[in-house]
Amino acid sequence: MKSLKAERIKIKMGEIWESPELHVLLTKEDEVVVARCLDFTVSSHGADIEDALNSLAESIKEYILTAKE
């Protein structure tokens, strides 16, 4: 596992809600970029940083919607 960088992102859910800044750790494992949200125990991956962050955003949205139910 090679650490790439740490970022802060916001997730929007439609026009109604935007998250506070979330802490994300990006690492490279083999040929895959892994994005881990440190505020929730949610992670995802992608071919590059942008893909990993987009995938993580979708995973966080599902996590929040499931928790809300």
Side-chain angles (χ1 to χ4, degrees), residues 1-7 24-36 46-50 52-53:
M1 174 173 71
K2 179 184 175 192
S3 181
L4 295 177
K5 64 180 177 175
E7 283 198 15
V24 176
L25 178 64
L26 296 161
T27 58
K28 186 147 188 164
E29 298 179 20
D30 297 320
E31 296 301 314
V32 176
V33 176
V34 177
R36 291 176 176 84
D48 56 28
I49 291 174
E50 182 179 351
L53 289 173

Side-chain angles (χ1 to χ4, degrees), residues 10-45:
K10 290 186 177 185
I11 306 296
K12 287 186 88 168
M13 295 182 78
E15 298 297 318
I16 299 172
W17 183 80
E18 180 176 277
S19 74
E21 285 190 333
L22 302 173
H23 301 84
V24 176
L25 178 64
L26 296 161
T27 58
K28 186 147 188 164
E29 298 179 20
D30 297 320
E31 296 301 314
V32 176
V33 176
V34 177
R36 291 176 176 84
C37 178
L38 304 177
D39 301 288
F40 300 110
T41 52
V42 176
S43 63
S44 197
H45 64 279

Side-chain angles (χ1 to χ4, degrees), residues 42-45 54-64:
V42 176
S43 63
S44 197
H45 64 279
N54 287 335
S55 181
L56 180 64
E58 290 303 314
S59 295
I60 291 171
K61 287 177 189 178
E62 289 300 318
Y63 178 86
I64 291 169

